[in-house]
């Protein structure tokens, strides 16, 4: 079967367990599509699956980069796509599992995403210009190089402004010249679990509480001791950035928890909005989110 199984959707909807159970039945492997699980040493705040949760299933794209590294969508696709091709060549169904929509899109569609790997040196150059001269200065740089892209971005959207400049320096092409037309590369079955909003929020709140009980603050203090700061890409993740800010401000743990819960709920809403746009995605009620149901859909 030359097909992918994609288990996606919002955080805290049981994606990992469902993906593992499906992979066991399919005698296949899981490819993570989570922009934080790629980082080594970020375990508690990312809800990284433990060995017992993996049930002996091989998991790819977890712990692939050091926490001080930048990592782009094109970096992810470059590493993950050969794994897909290898599994398909072995007549296995790759099980893609995660909530980072851009990662999933990069695998199933022929999207350029700038077709340029992250370049720390170039990015750092523009970050220094930002610190020295301000966001308007950096935005005007993009306006001179690629006015079409600049006009689509707000001056405050500094991350995307710098990425567009980075794409130009690395690839020699303006971002506006690169087609992002969605051309499917593989057949796939995509499912997501559609929890009622209040139930989803309860699950998120419980997960955040479990992270704190599991040692989230201690994990982040360890990362700080290794030299990581809020400027590092990995520390922009929900859970990490809030704890860093609260430590800096001297806030208590209760405040940290509530801020993280609120930001995670907002993130879940954005994930749902994103995946609603995925072609042919099937939304399952929680009671329908079983291996039998999913594999039945896969075989249709």
């Amino acid at each position: 079967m030359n097909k992918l199984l994609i288990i996606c959707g919002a955080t805290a909807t049981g994606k990992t367990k469902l993906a593992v159970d499906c992979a066991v039945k399919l005698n296949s492997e899981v490819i993570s599509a989570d922009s934080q699980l790629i980082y080594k040493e970020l375990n508690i705040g990312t809800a990284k699956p433990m060995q017992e949760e993996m049930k002996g299933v091989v998991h790819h794209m977890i712990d692939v980069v050091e926490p001080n590294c930048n990592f782009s969508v094109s970096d992810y696709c470059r590493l993950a796509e050969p794994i897909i091709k290898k599994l398909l060549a072995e007549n296995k169904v790759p099980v893609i599992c995660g909530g980072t929509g851009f990662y999933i899109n990069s695998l199933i569609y022929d999207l350029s995403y700038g077709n340029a790997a992250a370049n720390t040196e170039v990015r750092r150059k523009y970050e220094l210009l930002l610190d020295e001269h301000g966001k308007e200065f950096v935005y005007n740089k993009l306006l001179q190089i690629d006015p079409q892209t600049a006009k689509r971005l707000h001056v405050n959207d500094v991350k995307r402004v710098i990425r567009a400049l980075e794409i130009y320096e690395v690839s020699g092409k303006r971002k506006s010249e690169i087609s992002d037309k969605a051309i499917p590369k593989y057949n796939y079955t995509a499912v997501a679990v559609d929890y009622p909003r209040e139930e989803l929020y309860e699950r998120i709140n419980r997960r955040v509480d479990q992270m704190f009980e599991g040692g989230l603050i201690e994990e982040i203090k360890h990362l700080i001791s290794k030299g990581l700061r809020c400027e590092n890409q990995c520390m922009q993740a929900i859970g990490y950035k809030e704890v860093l800010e609260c430590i800096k401000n001297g806030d208590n743990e209760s405040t940290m928890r509530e801020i993280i819960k609120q930001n995670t709920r907002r993130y879940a809403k954005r994930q749902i909005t994103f995946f609603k746009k995925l072609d042919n995605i099937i939304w399952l009620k929680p009671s329908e989110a079983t291996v039998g149901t999913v594999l039945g859909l896969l075989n249709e």
Side-chain angles (χ1 to χ4, degrees), residues 5 7 17-26 55 284 288-299:
L5 173 59
I7 298 173
K17 183 180 185 308
L18 184 57
V20 168
D21 290 345
C22 288
V24 169
K25 284 288 187 182
L26 291 166
K55 297 182 179 178
L284 302 174
E288 298 171 330
T290 65
V291 174
T293 299
V294 173
L295 296 189
L297 293 168
L298 180 69
N299 291 321

Side-chain angles (χ1 to χ4, degrees), residues 3-6 84 88 93-94 96 108 186-189 298:
K3 200 173 190 181
L4 313 184
L5 173 59
I6 300 168
I84 289 177
L88 290 175
V93 178
I96 316 297
I108 61 178
Y186 303 102
N187 292 323
Y188 65 86
T189 294
L298 180 69

Side-chain angles (χ1 to χ4, degrees), residues 21-144:
D21 290 345
C22 288
V24 169
K25 284 288 187 182
L26 291 166
N27 188 30
S28 190
E29 301 172 10
V30 172
I31 301 172
S32 170
D34 186 297
S35 61
Q36 298 309 314
L37 293 188
I38 60 163
Y39 289 109
K40 300 175 182 178
E41 299 188 65
L42 273 71
N43 301 322
I44 297 169
T46 62
K48 191 172 288 179
M50 294 182 285
Q51 286 300 319
E52 54 266 32
E53 294 175 274
M54 295 181 180
K55 297 182 179 178
V57 172
V58 175
H59 280 61
H60 301 276
M61 299 309 295
I62 294 178
D63 290 339
V64 295
V65 292
E66 298 297 331
N68 60 350
C69 294
N70 287 328
F71 197 80
S72 70
V73 175
S74 59
D75 291 327
Y76 172 81
C77 187
R78 175 175 52 81
L79 294 178
E81 189 151 38
I83 301 167
I84 289 177
K85 291 179 178 177
K86 175 180 177 293
L87 292 173
L88 290 175
E90 295 170 354
N91 292 316
K92 294 181 178 180
V93 178
V95 181
I96 316 297
C97 175
T100 302
F102 289 120
Y103 278 14
I104 291 172
N105 277 1
S106 77
L107 295 181
I108 61 178
Y109 297 123
D110 186 10
L111 298 172
S112 67
Y113 283 110
N115 201 26
N119 187 300
T120 305
E121 186 177 342
V122 171
R123 189 172 297 179
R124 185 61 183 153
K125 179 181 79 172
Y126 285 109
E127 287 171 348
L128 290 172
L129 287 174
L130 174 68
D131 292 340
E132 187 174 349
H133 300 290
K135 57 192 175 186
E136 289 82 5
F137 180 87
V138 176
Y139 179 80
N140 285 333
K141 285 278 187 187
L142 181 61
L143 196 60
Q144 294 167 12

Side-chain angles (χ1 to χ4, degrees), residues 212 217 221 241-259:
F212 275 91
I217 295 175
K221 285 181 177 178
K241 63 181 178 182
E242 292 86 356
V243 171
L244 277 173
E245 189 65 25
C246 287
I247 289 174
K248 179 181 173 183
N249 296 336
D251 295 327
N252 59 37
E253 184 179 312
S254 176
T255 300
M256 293 182 196
R257 288 192 190 218
E258 291 311 309
I259 294 172

